[in-house]
Amino acid sequence: MSYARQMLDTYPRTLNVDVGMLAAAIDALSDCAQACNADNAADLGEPDVTEMARCIRLCLDCVDVCTATAGVISRQVEYDAGLTRPLLEACVAICRSCGDECERHAHMQHCRVCAEACRRCERACRELLDALK
Amino acid sequence: MSYARQMLDTYPRTLNVDVGMLAAAIDALSDCAQACNADNAADLGEPDVTEMARCIRLCLDCVDVCTATAGVISRQVEYDAGLTRPLLEACVAICRSCGDECERHAHMQHCRVCAEACRRCERACRELLDALK
Amino acid sequence: MSYARQMLDTYPRTLNVDVGMLAAAIDALSDCAQACNADNAADLGEPDVTEMARCIRLCLDCVDVCTATAGVISRQVEYDAGLTRPLLEACVAICRSCGDECERHAHMQHCRVCAEACRRCERACRELLDALK
Amino acid sequence: MSYARQMLDTYPRTLNVDVGMLAAAIDALSDCAQACNADNAADLGEPDVTEMARCIRLCLDCVDVCTATAGVISRQVEYDAGLTRPLLEACVAICRSCGDECERHAHMQHCRVCAEACRRCERACRELLDALK
């Protein structure tokens, strides 16, 4: 069981969603940030980095947005739709763009793994968004 | 002239907005993150921290969202509305909530200064959003 | 297998340490940041937040330092002792302080879980430091 | 006057250094993170990105370390040498490496500006380190 899940079991929230779904989103966001950081590093080591410039840029955006969102939803004791909804929408958007770009060069194993992390994170954020409606 | 402005003058972008407005937003986002980090530290040093819990939480959200947004819009060589718009909307929302909360205890000088940084950032993000329409 | 480990298997580095040890450090750093973010949120929800002020401050430092270190060591294709060593030392120091503070109020379950994440991260960073000597 | 300076004037600390020096370090760290974020984006837009790979990597490390350090020293109400010293040493190291690399291609204006931000941040962190001895 991840720390996110263990922690969510220890204190009350008014963010009225299933604790398993919330923990899954936090885990997917952390994992996606980790994968994008690593993919980025791997892209920078490729023989033709110019070819990877867009992938690097999207991975960097994905790290920034996923890290911020993980922080914010970990703190959402009190639900603030005005903040949480657009933030999750931004996550869905960047995970999709970054996942698409990584899939375009899935012949590189690091991009294939990263695409998978982005897809999983996109799905988890979308599910949380739907549950918050 | 801030580094953001000096840098934006040195390379081309397709993010079709006035360079001065973009630099003002990046500066306001950095300043707001700095102010919220400091306000947070000051809140934790108050005699009654329980009273400040909401303010601390909102300042932390504000640091996370502003830092991520500054990174993303610094990298927006290619404009991605699906990402940039909700991210700026999330910024506007958290800067408003955090600014309102800080204003509620503006008798503490650190909260008064922080409220001002939040208001300025909210305005800069709103202007950028309007320009991107 | 974590994304960090899967990714490290896909590209060459000159950071001359066992890939399992490096992946374990990256995972422990991510987990610790996640646990400290959550503990922080839980502390802010306690009836007496004043009592938790030091814990909150240390958790915030721990999130910042662990997140930065995870990013840096994910990118260490080329080993830079001048950067990596003091950064890992800073991690060891904050994980110890934060772990000690969390243990002081281990009667709160969220602090007990967080202390465990800090201890594991301190150990993983220390092992990596020793291996880099 | 920067927000860092305005805020530091509003609350007591035991970090026994001149408030002007502390504010200068926080400002230099924020500015350096901003410049490195922008330089990074500019590098990714150069015709030959492969040539810029090392610069990109160092800029990313510099953003991560400077952002974390700005957060930590903003919160240093209580001085913790075990954390602050190695963290500032890590900053000095990455600012020097990143500044050197940027200077190597100072014919690109964005790298020249970034080198200047790195030099200024290296100096500010070194001065703070000396004052903390």
Side-chain angles (χ1 to χ4, degrees):
Chain A
M1 196 175 12
S2 79
Y3 285 110
R5 179 60 203 263
Q6 290 179 62
M7 295 301 275
L8 288 170
D9 284 336
T10 67
Y11 62 97
R13 283 159 314 283
T14 63
L15 184 59
N16 197 14
V17 294
D18 176 69
V19 123
M21 182 185 287
L22 193 56
I26 296 173
D27 287 339
L29 287 160
S30 303
D31 285 350
C32 188
Q34 195 188 65
C36 286
N37 255 330
D39 192 33
N40 198 42
D43 288 347
L44 286 166
E46 286 292 329
D48 185 356
V49 186
T50 311
E51 176 68 22
M52 308 308 290
R54 191 165 183 268
C55 189
I56 293 170
R57 193 151 42 216
L58 292 171
C59 280
L60 292 175
D61 285 349
C62 209
V63 170
D64 281 352
V65 178
C66 288
T67 303
T69 306
V72 168
I73 67 173
S74 295
R75 269 187 300 272
Q76 283 272 304
V77 174
E78 174 195 8
Y79 178 48
D80 175 358
L83 169 61
T84 310
R85 291 199 60 80
L87 202 52
L88 286 170
E89 283 161 9
C91 262
V92 167
I94 186 60
C95 286
R96 188 174 23 188
S97 303
C98 192
D100 287 350
E101 181 68 19
C102 286
E103 214 159 81
R104 278 190 50 233
H105 16 83
H107 51 284
M108 299 174 190
Q109 203 193 327
H110 52 84
C111 283
R112 195 169 60 243
V113 175
C114 191
E116 188 194 306
C118 290
R119 296 310 187 202
R120 199 162 67 84
C121 188
E122 183 190 345
R123 233 173 4 248
C125 290
R126 222 186 268 284
E127 279 169 23
L128 188 53
L129 260 174
D130 288 345
L132 290 171
K133 254 170 205 161
Chain B
M1 196 174 15
S2 80
Y3 284 112
R5 178 60 202 264
Q6 290 179 62
M7 296 302 275
L8 287 171
D9 285 336
T10 69
Y11 62 97
R13 285 159 313 282
T14 63
L15 185 59
N16 198 13
V17 294
D18 176 68
V19 122
M21 182 185 286
L22 194 56
I26 297 173
D27 288 339
L29 288 158
S30 304
D31 285 350
C32 188
Q34 196 188 63
C36 287
N37 254 329
D39 192 35
N40 198 41
D43 288 347
L44 286 165
E46 288 293 329
D48 183 356
V49 187
T50 311
E51 176 68 22
M52 308 308 289
R54 191 164 184 267
C55 190
I56 293 171
R57 193 152 44 216
L58 291 172
C59 280
L60 293 175
D61 286 350
C62 208
V63 170
D64 281 353
V65 178
C66 288
T67 303
T69 306
V72 168
I73 69 172
S74 295
R75 270 188 300 273
Q76 282 270 306
V77 174
E78 174 193 6
Y79 178 48
D80 175 357
L83 169 61
T84 310
R85 292 198 61 79
L87 202 51
L88 286 170
E89 283 161 9
C91 263
V92 167
I94 186 60
C95 286
R96 188 174 22 190
S97 304
C98 191
D100 286 350
E101 180 68 18
C102 287
E103 216 160 78
R104 278 191 49 234
H105 15 81
H107 52 285
M108 298 175 190
Q109 203 192 330
H110 52 83
C111 283
R112 195 169 60 242
V113 175
C114 191
E116 187 195 306
C118 290
R119 296 309 186 202
R120 199 162 68 85
C121 188
E122 183 189 346
R123 233 173 4 249
C125 290
R126 221 187 268 281
E127 278 170 22
L128 188 54
L129 260 174
D130 288 344
L132 290 172
K133 253 168 203 161
Chain C
M1 193 174 16
S2 79
Y3 285 111
R5 178 58 202 262
Q6 289 180 62
M7 296 301 277
L8 288 170
D9 284 337
T10 69
Y11 61 97
R13 285 158 313 281
T14 62
L15 184 59
N16 198 15
V17 293
D18 177 68
V19 124
M21 181 184 288
L22 194 56
I26 297 172
D27 287 339
L29 287 159
S30 303
D31 285 350
C32 187
Q34 196 188 65
C36 286
N37 255 329
D39 192 35
N40 199 40
D43 288 347
L44 286 166
E46 288 292 330
D48 184 357
V49 186
T50 311
E51 176 68 23
M52 308 308 288
R54 190 164 185 267
C55 189
I56 293 172
R57 194 152 42 217
L58 292 171
C59 280
L60 292 176
D61 286 350
C62 208
V63 170
D64 281 352
V65 178
C66 288
T67 303
T69 306
V72 168
I73 68 173
S74 295
R75 270 188 301 273
Q76 283 269 305
V77 174
E78 174 195 6
Y79 178 48
D80 176 357
L83 170 61
T84 309
R85 293 198 59 80
L87 202 52
L88 286 170
E89 283 160 9
C91 262
V92 167
I94 185 61
C95 286
R96 189 175 20 187
S97 303
C98 192
D100 286 351
E101 180 67 18
C102 286
E103 217 159 78
R104 279 191 49 234
H105 16 83
H107 52 285
M108 299 175 190
Q109 202 192 330
H110 52 84
C111 284
R112 194 168 62 244
V113 174
C114 191
E116 187 195 306
C118 290
R119 297 307 187 203
R120 200 164 65 85
C121 189
E122 183 190 345
R123 234 175 1 250
C125 289
R126 222 186 267 283
E127 277 169 23
L128 189 53
L129 259 175
D130 288 344
L132 290 172
K133 253 167 205 163
Chain D
M1 197 176 10
S2 79
Y3 285 111
R5 178 60 203 264
Q6 288 179 63
M7 296 302 275
L8 288 170
D9 284 336
T10 68
Y11 61 97
R13 285 158 313 282
T14 62
L15 184 58
N16 197 13
V17 293
D18 176 69
V19 123
M21 181 184 286
L22 194 57
I26 296 173
D27 287 339
L29 288 159
S30 303
D31 286 349
C32 188
Q34 195 188 64
C36 286
N37 255 330
D39 192 35
N40 197 41
D43 288 347
L44 286 166
E46 287 292 329
D48 184 356
V49 187
T50 311
E51 176 69 22
M52 308 308 290
R54 191 164 184 269
C55 189
I56 293 170
R57 192 152 44 216
L58 291 171
C59 280
L60 293 175
D61 285 351
C62 209
V63 170
D64 281 352
V65 178
C66 289
T67 304
T69 306
V72 168
I73 68 173
S74 295
R75 269 187 302 272
Q76 283 272 304
V77 174
E78 174 193 8
Y79 178 48
D80 175 358
L83 169 61
T84 309
R85 292 197 61 79
L87 201 51
L88 285 171
E89 282 161 9
C91 262
V92 167
I94 186 59
C95 286
R96 188 174 22 189
S97 303
C98 192
D100 287 350
E101 180 67 18
C102 286
E103 214 159 79
R104 276 191 50 233
H105 15 82
H107 52 284
M108 298 175 190
Q109 204 193 328
H110 52 83
C111 283
R112 195 169 59 243
V113 175
C114 191
E116 189 196 304
C118 290
R119 296 310 186 201
R120 199 162 68 84
C121 188
E122 183 190 345
R123 234 175 0 249
C125 290
R126 221 187 269 283
E127 277 169 23
L128 188 54
L129 260 174
D130 288 344
L132 290 171
K133 253 170 207 162

